[in-house]
Amino acid sequence: MNYRHAFHAGNFGDVLKHVVLLELLDALHRKPSPVHLLDTHAGIGLYDLAGDEAQRSGEYRFGVGAVLADMAAEKQLPRYVAALKRLNPELKPGGSGLRRYPGSPWLLADSLRPDDRLTLCELHPQDAEALKRNLAAEFGRDSAMAIHHRDGFEAIKALMPPTPRRGLALIDPAFEAKDEFEILSKAVLAAQQRWATGQLAVWYPIKDQKSIEGWKSGLAKTLKSETLCIELTVRPAKDARQMSGSGLLVINPPWQLKEALTPMLEFLKSRLIRETGGGTRITTLVKAG
């Protein structure tokens, strides 16, 4: 499968990922010391929701569109809505004026302080070039930002631990290969071995919840740091043929992340669930200590 995120930008999986990512960045930036941010599967960084791909799929309408349609969105998700406003100055309560949707690279770049560093990896050659153009147009040619045309899983071995040592790695593969979960597990273990103090945010799709629970259980046996599991399903996850939800593993989570996210997930649940049996939850996969 040749995955193209432009068809899926702003869908429910993106909303969950970006709401959590912004909370992680906020927690990191509460301390003045610099951080290094790494995105292993960056994509193109910025998406046009009026473009052909987004219009053909319409997925964003049931993701970011459904969230912004609620007038309470800005109060419930202040950092998320603020980021969308910075990218879409004409955005109004209710969602009118939304044209561009940020990929994770845009959110990471937008968060940078003077001494912070950002490394982005993208394997697809055209997407890597588009990523460079998009971020240069938004943020200029920033020396604090490095964009690599390379395999993100290989980059984990080559680039970790980064300098400075404080920071976050987002691991968000396209899940094109049949053994992607096995590859992902090895990558997560390698990342933790090389960067034990770093925060890791690992995104995954949910199709069959039973299979996901088996994968998480196996991974938990190899992890040595506190790990939270944050999930949203828009329908019962019983059909391996369709994505019914998504989740994020957060390894070395910041203090009180669960408490901060709980009301946000309740709001997302009210806006994004499409069938009875969907829901949100935060569980502890590996306990601290």
Side-chain angles (χ1 to χ4, degrees):
M1 181 179 68
N2 184 12
Y3 180 85
R4 310 299 288 175
H5 192 68
F7 288 96
H8 313 291
N11 70 1
F12 65 82
D14 262 2
V15 173
L16 177 68
K17 175 174 58 180
H18 294 151
V19 166
V20 174
L21 179 61
L22 288 167
E23 291 304 304
L24 295 175
L25 292 171
D26 180 71
L28 280 172
H29 289 151
R30 288 173 200 157
K31 294 183 179 180
S33 54
V35 298
H36 199 126
L37 307 173
L38 171 65
D39 191 338
T40 62
H41 297 76
I44 65 173
L46 191 59
Y47 300 92
D48 181 6
L49 297 182
D52 180 63
E53 296 94 336
Q55 290 298 311
R56 282 166 60 188
S57 72
E59 290 186 21
Y60 75 92
R61 297 187 181 97
F62 303 100
V64 62
V67 168
L68 294 180
D70 193 315
M71 295 297 180
E74 187 168 10
K75 180 180 179 180
Q76 296 295 328
L77 307 172
R79 275 175 278 279
Y80 181 66
V81 175
L84 294 175
K85 282 186 172 182
R86 286 194 294 277
L87 187 55
N88 298 273
E90 297 182 358
L91 182 63
K92 300 293 190 299
S96 65
L98 178 68
R99 169 69 185 259
R100 300 195 296 169
Y101 191 81
S104 301
W106 190 96
L107 296 174
L108 294 170
D110 184 57
S111 79
L112 290 178
R113 302 166 302 176
D115 293 329
D116 293 340
R117 295 292 180 267
L118 173 61
T119 301
L120 304 170
C121 301
E122 174 54 47
L123 181 60
H124 192 287
Q126 284 78 30
D127 285 359
E129 288 302 314
L131 177 64
K132 292 177 182 178
R133 290 194 305 272
N134 287 336
L135 293 192
E138 292 288 314
F139 303 104
R141 302 283 180 178
D142 192 340
S143 61
M145 190 187 311
I147 300 176
H148 298 269
H149 173 213
R150 71 190 305 175
D151 176 74
F153 289 131
E154 181 274 331
I156 288 173
K157 299 178 181 179
L159 301 177
M160 290 187 180
T163 302
R165 291 291 186 96
R166 283 189 71 232
L168 164 71
L170 174 64
I171 304 175
D172 176 22
F175 290 88
E176 295 176 329
K178 291 183 178 180
D179 60 345
E180 195 84 63
F181 278 99
E182 180 181 346
I183 296 171
L184 180 59
S185 293
K186 292 178 180 177
V188 171
L189 180 58
Q192 189 173 53
Q193 288 174 338
R194 286 167 169 77
W195 194 18
T197 59
Q199 289 182 9
L200 304 178
V202 184
W203 186 89
Y204 56 92
I206 300 174
K207 296 182 179 180
D208 173 17
Q209 188 74 55
K210 184 177 180 180
S211 297
I212 290 295
E213 294 303 320
W215 169 69
K216 291 189 299 184
S217 178
L219 183 59
K221 296 175 183 177
T222 69
L223 297 176
K224 302 185 183 301
S225 300
E226 180 183 2
T227 303
L228 291 183
C229 176
I230 304 155
E231 294 185 342
L232 179 150
T233 52
V234 299
R235 62 180 70 87
K238 299 179 180 179
D239 188 347
R241 295 169 297 179
Q242 66 176 348
M243 190 174 95
S244 296
S246 68
L248 279 148
L249 299 181
V250 179
I251 301 170
N252 291 323
W255 184 60
Q256 291 193 325
L257 178 66
K258 181 177 181 179
E259 290 76 7
L261 287 176
T262 295
M264 298 182 188
L265 262 64
E266 283 299 309
F267 178 72
L268 293 181
K269 179 180 177 180
S270 71
R271 299 306 306 162
L272 299 179
I273 303 307
R274 301 186 66 185
E275 295 181 18
T276 301
T280 58
R281 62 176 182 167
I282 305 177
T283 58
T284 300
L285 187 65
V286 179
K287 294 182 179 181

